[in-house]
Amino acid sequence: MEEKLETVKGEVEDITYTNEINGYTICVIDYEGEMLTLVGTMPFLGCGETITAMGKFTNHPTFGRQFKVEHYEKELPASESSMITYLSSGAIKGIGPVLARRIVDKFGEDTFDVLENHPEYLEDVKGMTRKKAREIGEKFSEQFGMRNVLMYFNGVFSTSLAMKVYKKYGDASVDIIKRNPYILCEQINGIGFERADAIARDMGIDAHSHFRIESGMKYILKLNLSRNGNCYMPMEKLLDETVRLLGVTREEANSALRAIGATGEIVIVKFGETLAVYIDYAYRAEKYCADKLRVLAETSVNIPNSRADRYIEACEAEMGITFAPLQKKAIKSAVDNGMLIVTGGPGTGKTTVIRAMIKLFDSLGMDILLAAPTGRAAKRMTSATEREARTIHRLLESGYTGDGENETFGRDEDNPLECDALIVDEASMCDVFLLSSLLRAVKPGTKLIFLGDSDQLPPVGAGDTLRDMLNSGAIPTVRLDEVFRQGEGSGIVINAHRINSGEMPATDNKSSDFFFMKRSSGAALVSLICELCSKRLVEAYGYDPFEDIQVITPSRKGTVGTVALNAALQNALNPKSTMKLEKQVGDLVFREGDKVMQIKNNYSQEWEYEDGRSGQGVYNGEIGIITRINTFEEYFEVSYDGRSVHYDLAQLDEIEHAYAVTVHKSQGSEYPCVIIPVFDAPPGLLTRNMLYTAVTRAKSNAILVGSVERTGDMVRNNRQVFRYTGLCRMLKKETE
């Protein structure tokens, strides 16, 4: 049963803390003759105002009795003394204590009416100019316009979202939302279709309204794009899903499709017999990729083969090795072609090929840039080549719009990358939008080389760009398939290739780096994983359980999903302690010392090194440690490889525990030791390339724990993740 909210009312005596971005505020009110601390999202609160707040009394371990606000209402100060207190507090920019008293002395109880409706009267106040009077009137009207919006939407959605609505539509917010509440899910980040639909129902909007059907159809397209990675949906499938989700007729769905098409928000393309429906920006991304890839493949300056052969021989002599035929072909192809894809599994010599290409391009006097989709992949590339590799985001000088919600890039067609050759590793992780942004910054004539393992999982984002490029036949490709001596003794490499070929990995534990530990129950399996991380691997190999060991599992839910494993591993590796502060959010507890992962790109998030160097941007997949939680000022700090990031507690939805991560989240990363639970999970996740991808994340030790039978099921299940993408067809020019 839901706990009943209590109500308190009083005049604001002091503002202890306020966050101007999200409105989080700590204030003190006079409640029934006692000073009571209120905490919660209460933007634009000023001393002297009377607040009625609904919420719950809590006991803070350090600061004692507090009232946690969930909803609130405000009243303007009624007495002249309260008005002076309010205006003196800085609530209205431009009014200080002296001017506040003069204004109230002049207009008395009519002060707020003058500020809002007759700011020109302020010119009669000593020290007030016409310009300043106008500015103060504008500030007052703007603030109270926002207050009206916040109060109207109070209880409908959070104050921070209401602030976004006001910033988008201003004083017209209420009228716009009343007319078409579905505009919320299309133009305001953080409000989904279901929420907008519930608001619309409360407002009495007809379930067959064209606003609802059109918005619902766009929602289906966007959901398939973000959740399933589909760049488009077949028209018949889209219509079927619209009818099912919204409970409307086929005719109504067809009518909505035509209406959206007329606005240009969707694009319909014919692939053979299939009519593909794109949301407009997904189509533009795929189309741009196809067009630019063809241009790059056709415009690079080639080098005579005789010179290439001499350079390759010189590389062999300098590196002290003899390249295998396919490696030599890859190096030569990089010289001969404007574009090249080099693909292959672990131990097939991709790193050797990269190093040779760099030496060859250096000898030709070419400027080279190296990049990878993630920070960890870039670090691996830097270590392997002894040359700086940057994330694609950093290479493109990523930034953000003024509201901090949309990514921008400093490098594009107007400000391209200055290089003769660009080598991109872990290309299987590039979704269509990242690839599009990268290609916009590549000048025609630049050699572009992609390296990656096409047998790994597709990118977390939309599209399947590496596989589409390979399958199109439009881009020169070399597939490395020979495992070299340095990998022949590795159980990790041998078993990864066995899995990829549909064979069972070894379970006899005769390898020095690949082990299988059988357990028949979920509880026993979780217990073993905790023991391995906290004790056995630490004692046997000297591993740091936070830095060197990573548990990688196919699913989020279930006995060995990330949710359950993170809770168990947190208890084993970072248990509750009086020496560590913590913060509970729902069922989760974040504690100082916790291993966490950033789960969304935040381009505006600031960070700083101890030496004072600073910058912006924390990206999806970065792993760090919570170093500090401040429960009074409501913030926490996370260290990402020495970069200290300051978060408001309202940003807790941006991180999650990372003692265990999904296979998808581990892509592009490599860890000294990987533990992979193989147990019950949804059939769609128990696939061969899921297991293959997990095993190939291990550098020194791979440990499978669980069921031999379930491992066999995964090896036999060669189901590939299918996505509706058009890049391959576009590269083949098979579109209408």
Side-chain angles (χ1 to χ4, degrees), residues 300 334 338 357-358 361-362 366-371 395 417-424 442 445-449:
S300 182
M357 287 178 182
I358 291 171
F361 290 153
D362 276 342
M366 299 171 67
D367 291 325
I368 312 160
L369 290 175
L370 308 181
L395 187 73
L417 296 168
E418 297 297 332
C419 64
D420 301 308
L422 173 61
I423 303 175
V424 181
V442 179
T446 302
K447 286 186 179 294
L448 181 57
I449 299 161

Side-chain angles (χ1 to χ4, degrees), residues 324-327 345-349 479-485 488 497:
L326 283 175
Q327 286 181 312
T348 56
R479 186 180 292 273
L480 304 176
D481 57 13
E482 180 181 352
V483 178
F484 295 97
R485 264 192 295 273
E488 289 176 355
H497 283 278

Side-chain angles (χ1 to χ4, degrees), residues 518-547:
K518 301 175 186 177
R519 291 295 185 275
S520 57
S521 75
L525 199 155
V526 172
S527 176
L528 172 61
I529 291 173
C530 289
E531 186 181 353
L532 286 169
C533 291
S534 63
K535 186 176 180 181
R536 292 170 64 169
L537 291 171
V538 176
E539 293 176 353
Y541 297 95
Y543 285 144
D544 182 323
F546 290 85
E547 296 289 335

Side-chain angles (χ1 to χ4, degrees), residues 383-430:
S383 176
T385 62
E386 298 181 345
R387 198 76 160 256
E388 183 191 18
R390 287 176 275 180
T391 63
I392 294 175
H393 287 89
R394 184 179 163 211
L395 187 73
L396 299 181
E397 299 173 9
S398 68
Y400 56 97
T401 53
D403 57 10
E405 294 181 352
N406 296 301
E407 185 177 19
T408 61
F409 291 110
R411 294 287 183 171
D412 54 22
E413 296 99 331
D414 298 325
N415 185 28
L417 296 168
E418 297 297 332
C419 64
D420 301 308
L422 173 61
I423 303 175
V424 181
D425 199 9
E426 294 288 355
S428 64
M429 297 182 66
C430 286

